[in-house]
Amino acid sequence: MHLITLLEAVSVLVGLGAAAVVPSSHVLHEKRGRRHPRLTKRAPGDSILPMRIGLRHNAEAMAKAEEWLMDVSHPSSPNFGKHWSQDQVINSFRPSDASVEVVTGWLVNAGIARTRITHTDNKLWLAFDATVQEAEELLKTEYYHDGEHDDDDDNDKVVVGSNAYYLPAHVQEHVDYVTPGVKSTTIDLKRLRRRRAAKRDTTKRDTVEGVSHRRSKNTQPRLIENVDEVLSRDRNDLSNCDSLITPACLQALYDYSPPSPHAKVSPKNSLGIFEEGDYYDQPDLDLFFTAYTPSIANGTHPKLDSIDGGVAPLAGFYGGESGLDFTIAYPIIFPQTITLYQTDDQYYAYYTGSQGIFNTFLDALDGSYCNYTAFGETGDSDIDPQYPDTASPADEDPYLGQLQCGVYEPTNIISISYGVYEQDLPYSYQERQCNEYLKLALQGVTIVIASGDTGVGGYNYGTYGDGAYYGCLGDDDAVFTPSEACSCPWVTNVGATEVFPGHTVFEPESAVLVQENRLNGNYSSSGGFSNIFPIPAYQKKAVQHFFDTANPPYPYYYNGNWQNATNGGVYNRNGHGIPDVSANGWNYPGWYDGSFGTSGGTSMSAPIFASLLNRIVEERIKVGKGPLGFVNPTLYENPQVLNDITNGTNPGCGTEGFHAAKGWDPVTGLGTPNYPKMLELWLSLP
């Protein structure tokens, strides 16, 4: 047995690089499938590495997390609304004291003085600096970097990592991740420098609009030819709501009136809106205010919470997404304010895009998330933006500060109109992120996310243009593809409806379906069943009712196992159902770089629903009550406060998709808001 272990260890050492023969007391913790192609130069032994040991997450806390959230979120709970403080959340999810002691003891015995070790504020990491020689001996590995000898360049960074590393057997169960390790780290190495090319890859700039549009959930604006005639109409006229959904149309649909522009509002109830790679244009906002909401003064704009170099507005740039979000929200909530979470510098957010999404945003709201370990993921991933930004040319104004961690307090309600699809990101990446949404919900934060605009499928040819025609899963491009991050059960995801031509705002809406020759296919409300997350307890009854009364005609599979479905299954029968609710998502007027047109998408639907929730929080504050937190359990227990949508489909993957039905359905969820009923319900709760 000892001989086999030793031979295996030597094999790894020869194939992937390590410092010495691994003793039998150690076990392999992580290794690459093959050597990193760029990490080819040995790191000098006296170079300093910022070592970080991610402690394995608290298994007991993970098992109880849903129960904790339901305790403060379910309307029948005696603890409804008794949200946790951030310190309570951090202390509850931190690794066990035993893990801290075992790992610290190993380090001290290996020669790392206790005074050199810091237990980070978020309780999830042990941090210390070590020479390369010390780290290699500690982890039985070798470190490599991708730099070049260049003593004249003192500012650039090198990527340092190993191809495999080992831990003592008694320590392994307490450690999730070590960095630098298989997960590389960008650092300065003494005497070693790497020169980055200062010339931008112009092919990326050529495709930038595709990157930005694919991540947001809005349709491209359609310019209107008869501008003068449309703008001459009475802004309160409801006779044309089937072709132009104005703020007055939304008020009639969901039975609310705009607040008085002189109303006194709470300074602690700003509506949060996330943006990335898209920038609002103040002249466009002013044109909208003048035409449709003259009680909102020109120059009204969101408060900017800049995250990792995010800037807005940005001269020379205008965004259909940002403009839509703000022209939707302001007429519903003003004089309540809006907080803009503009995320990532221009290089990562606009010019190149990063495959990852939302992590830097969540870092800024919760400092503990920056180094949080869960589901095999510690801290931000290699697919996320890396700060300081040394990849961007200087003329693109890169953000050269450190990654921002815990710099902003989250607003009570946050609206997000961005996302991709589950197959676009590692499952562990999404699971870790979803757990963070749960932690925010425990603290009373409501996250509202657009479900997407592609029915049961994805974008034509995939999110990044390298997939099959329908953007669906499987060799035959036929398996339905759930969107993310709305697949997480701890957020409220919003589908889209519309007023069909010839109908009025006083008739039931239908699921949106726009059949046009569009680059990304027909527009319909994304919905279906997650391949990652199971049906949460609060949703089981509603989903089962849908299967019992409107059973879809398609074969299915279980547990997200679409790769091995032998019956041609196209959706996950026991996955979390998407969306939860819906709101209008078509034909909203706006200005785009000075041109008048209409837009839509679930990007329109999400801020409608979020804005109405923000108004409910305001009313609760007036009577001495707190924020809503996670609203889904209350909505699923009280579907009567929503307008049930029973007409429409969400086609994709060469099918009609699912059909809207009585009760919850994977097209429009529980339905659209009935503001008076929603307000009455939440005012009746503690």
Side-chain angles (χ1 to χ4, degrees):
M1 185 67 179
H2 174 72
L3 177 62
I4 294 175
T5 303
L6 182 59
L7 288 175
E8 289 177 344
V10 171
S11 174
V12 171
L13 293 173
V14 173
L16 294 176
V21 173
V22 180
S24 59
S25 59
H26 284 55
V27 292
L28 179 67
H29 193 66
E30 282 193 290
K31 72 172 181 179
R32 300 183 192 275
R34 59 185 179 87
R35 294 183 67 94
H36 193 294
R38 296 198 319 274
L39 302 185
T40 57
K41 303 173 183 66
R42 287 283 279 116
D46 60 350
S47 294
I48 303 298
L49 298 178
M51 303 301 298
R52 303 292 183 268
I53 298 178
L55 302 171
R56 195 173 295 278
H57 65 263
N58 189 321
E60 182 180 2
M62 297 300 292
K64 291 183 176 180
E66 181 176 355
E67 177 185 340
W68 290 340
L69 182 58
M70 291 305 102
D71 186 47
V72 298
S73 305
H74 198 282
S76 65
S77 170
N79 293 318
F80 177 87
K82 297 179 181 179
H83 299 114
W84 295 17
S85 69
Q86 187 177 68
D87 285 344
Q88 282 179 288
V89 172
I90 290 174
N91 289 331
S92 296
F93 283 86
R94 70 180 184 181
S96 67
D97 292 340
S99 292
V100 176
E101 287 304 314
V102 168
V103 177
T104 301
W106 160 59
L107 294 175
V108 171
N109 290 336
I112 307 298
R114 189 177 290 270
T115 55
R116 293 169 59 186
I117 303 169
T118 298
H119 191 190
T120 58
D121 291 341
N122 59 28
K123 311 301 182 185
L124 302 173
W125 285 68
L126 294 179
F128 59 95
D129 289 342
T131 65
V132 168
Q133 183 176 358
E134 285 179 312
E136 288 184 339
E137 175 59 29
L138 187 70
L139 301 174
K140 312 305 177 188
T141 189
E142 289 180 345
Y143 281 101
Y144 295 84
H145 68 87
D146 68 345
E148 299 175 357
H149 291 279
D150 187 354
D151 293 330
D152 295 328
D153 189 353
D154 293 330
N155 296 317
D156 286 342
K157 308 290 184 178
V158 294
V159 176
V160 176
S162 66
N163 291 301
Y165 65 90
Y166 294 78
L167 297 174
H170 75 285
V171 171
Q172 185 183 37
E173 66 177 292
H174 301 283
V175 174
D176 196 76
Y177 226 90
V178 177
T179 181
V182 170
K183 181 178 180 179
S184 307
T185 300
T186 301
I187 64 170
D188 276 317
L189 281 181
K190 295 177 182 178
R191 302 179 307 224
L192 288 178
R193 297 291 183 263
R194 176 166 62 102
R195 186 182 300 279
R196 288 186 182 271
K199 184 177 180 181
R200 184 194 315 143
D201 180 353
T202 57
T203 60
K204 291 181 177 179
R205 185 186 286 269
D206 291 340
T207 60
V208 62
E209 293 185 2
V211 172
S212 177
H213 175 66
R214 282 192 294 267
R215 293 157 68 88
S216 67
K217 300 297 185 182
N218 72 309
T219 66
Q220 291 295 325
R222 301 185 306 164
L223 299 184
I224 291 177
E225 295 181 358
N226 57 330
V227 177
D228 292 339
E229 187 276 324
V230 171
L231 293 180
S232 68
R233 300 172 185 168
D234 181 349
R235 70 175 65 93
N236 295 313
D237 180 27
L238 302 179
S239 63
N240 295 295
C241 293
D242 59 339
S243 61
L244 194 70
I245 289 286
T246 63
C249 296
L250 291 179
Q251 293 163 23
L253 276 171
Y254 304 133
D255 199 9
Y256 67 92
S257 299
S260 166
H262 308 294
K264 184 179 180 180
V265 297
S266 170
K268 296 183 178 181
N269 191 38
S270 184
L271 171 66
I273 294 182
F274 167 93
E275 304 288 353
E276 184 195 43
D278 190 280
Y279 311 92
Y280 78 88
D281 181 73
Q282 189 64 50
D284 285 348
L285 294 185
D286 291 344
L287 286 168
F288 180 90
F289 295 151
T290 299
Y292 290 104
T293 55
S295 60
I296 302 177
N298 284 356
T300 300
H301 61 82
K303 169 184 172 288
L304 174 64
D305 278 1
S306 170
I307 297 175
D308 298 325
V311 177
L314 192 60
F317 294 81
Y318 71 95
E321 177 60 60
S322 299
L324 180 61
D325 286 337
F326 298 135
T327 56
I328 282 288
Y330 270 122
I332 298 176
I333 69 167
F334 186 83
Q336 293 176 39
T337 61
I338 294 176
T339 297
L340 165 58
Y341 296 112
Q342 191 74 42
T343 305
D344 293 323
D345 69 11
Q346 200 172 356
Y347 176 78
Y348 280 114
Y350 188 87
Y351 285 131
T352 65
S354 61
Q355 187 181 352
I357 188 170
F358 300 132
N359 270 351
T360 51
F361 164 63
L362 293 171
D363 289 336
L365 298 187
D366 177 8
S368 71
Y369 186 70
C370 282
N371 297 312
Y372 178 59
T373 297
F375 303 100
E377 292 271 335
T378 297
D380 290 352
S381 168
D382 291 342
I383 64 177
D384 292 315
Q386 304 295 306
Y387 297 112
D389 179 0
T390 59
S392 171
D395 62 356
E396 287 174 2
D397 195 24
Y399 173 66
L400 298 177
Q402 296 298 314
L403 178 71
Q404 291 185 293
C405 297
V407 295
Y408 299 119
E409 182 178 351
T411 55
N412 295 320
I413 310 287
I414 299 175
S415 179
I416 299 175
S417 295
Y418 293 71
V420 284
Y421 296 86
E422 285 186 341
Q423 75 267 22
D424 293 329
L425 296 167
Y427 280 13
S428 58
Y429 181 101
Q430 297 173 70
E431 289 170 321
R432 175 179 177 269
Q433 211 168 75
C434 184
N435 196 56
E436 178 64 14
Y437 291 128
L438 183 150
K439 291 160 65 180
L440 288 172
L442 270 173
Q443 298 171 65
V445 178
T446 307
I447 305 290
V448 179
I449 300 184
S451 75
D453 303 342
T454 55
V456 296
Y459 290 115
N460 285 164
Y461 303 107
T463 305
Y464 301 103
D466 55 359
Y469 175 75
Y470 289 121
C472 300
L473 301 172
D475 293 338
D476 55 358
D477 193 23
V479 179
F480 298 171
T481 176
S483 50
E484 87 85 42
C486 59
S487 62
C488 173
W490 318 127
V491 303
T492 301
N493 50 87
V494 188
T497 56
E498 67 170 312
V499 177
F500 272 2
H503 290 254
T504 73
V505 292
F506 304 108
E507 299 173 81
E509 293 179 81
S510 298
V512 70
L513 177 58
V514 180
Q515 295 178 307
E516 295 180 342
N517 184 19
R518 299 166 62 245
L519 174 64
N520 290 315
N522 294 327
Y523 161 39
S524 62
S525 181
S526 289
F529 301 90
S530 172
N531 283 323
I532 303 176
F533 303 103
I535 304 172
Y538 68 79
Q539 193 188 46
K540 284 184 177 179
K541 182 179 178 181
V543 171
Q544 189 58 53
H545 179 267
F546 172 74
F547 288 142
D548 290 343
T549 60
N551 199 29
Y554 311 116
Y556 49 85
Y557 50 88
Y558 285 100
N559 303 322
N561 197 15
W562 60 269
Q563 298 96 329
N564 297 318
T566 58
N567 63 341
V570 297
Y571 72 94
N572 186 26
R573 189 76 167 188
N574 60 348
H576 169 227
I578 306 165
D580 296 302
V581 293
S582 53
N584 195 279
W586 189 234
N587 281 331
Y588 198 71
W591 276 261
Y592 305 91
D593 197 24
S595 297
F596 183 64
T598 63
S599 184
T602 52
S603 279
M604 174 179 165
S605 311
I608 290 173
F609 208 94
S611 296
L612 291 174
L613 290 177
N614 212 71
R615 286 187 55 169
I616 292 172
V617 173
E618 187 73 22
E619 296 302 316
R620 283 176 57 85
I621 291 174
K622 290 179 181 178
V623 295
K625 297 182 179 182
L628 302 179
F630 185 46
V631 299
N632 290 13
T634 298
L635 291 173
Y636 278 89
E637 285 294 307
N638 297 277
Q640 74 279 358
V641 302
L642 299 161
N643 306 311
D644 193 11
I645 305 300
T646 59
N647 182 57
T649 61
N650 56 352
C653 304
T655 74
E656 291 185 352
F658 297 109
H659 286 254
K662 187 173 178 57
W664 179 89
D665 58 70
V667 186
T668 61
L670 295 168
T672 61
N674 184 312
Y675 179 71
K677 290 183 178 180
M678 290 170 60
L679 177 61
E680 181 183 11
L681 170 63
W682 264 295
L683 286 180
S684 72
L685 294 173

